[in-house]
Amino acid sequence: MLCTYQLSKRLILDRSSYSIKTLSQHFGIKLKRHHNALDDTKACAELFIRLCSDFELNDENSIYSKTDIRVGG
């Protein structure tokens, strides 16, 4: 399982907060209604895409090992 919070903490070292609101502002991602489940989910997805793009993350250079990735709960 990948977590944008943990991924952001590993990639962006100069933040005092790694909340979805703060990270959305940092990346210019529109967060319409913070704490609204759908809007937070959309912002989180956009954040993940942005992190993968900006830091050139893909399967070959993942900062996570295969043992860190779990499917399900």
Side-chain angles (χ1 to χ4, degrees):
M1 169 172 42
L2 292 176
C3 173
T4 53
Y5 172 79
Q6 292 174 352
L7 189 61
S8 297
K9 284 186 78 169
R10 288 185 182 198
L11 296 172
I12 307 166
L13 303 176
D14 65 343
R15 305 303 314 167
S16 59
S17 171
Y18 292 90
S19 70
I20 190 71
K21 184 177 180 179
T22 301
L23 291 171
S24 292
Q25 291 171 344
H26 176 77
F27 284 103
I29 296 170
K30 188 172 185 178
L31 179 58
K32 293 180 184 179
R33 295 169 293 172
H34 186 42
H35 293 298
N36 173 277
L38 181 58
D39 290 340
D40 282 357
T41 301
K42 287 179 179 180
C44 187
E46 287 185 48
L47 174 60
F48 180 77
I49 291 167
R50 183 68 183 270
L51 290 169
C52 289
S53 173
D54 287 4
F55 292 92
E56 298 178 356
L57 300 178
N58 56 47
D59 289 340
E60 290 149 11
N61 64 4
S62 175
I63 65 170
Y64 287 96
S65 70
K66 293 185 187 281
T67 58
D68 290 331
I69 300 172
R70 294 182 290 276
V71 177

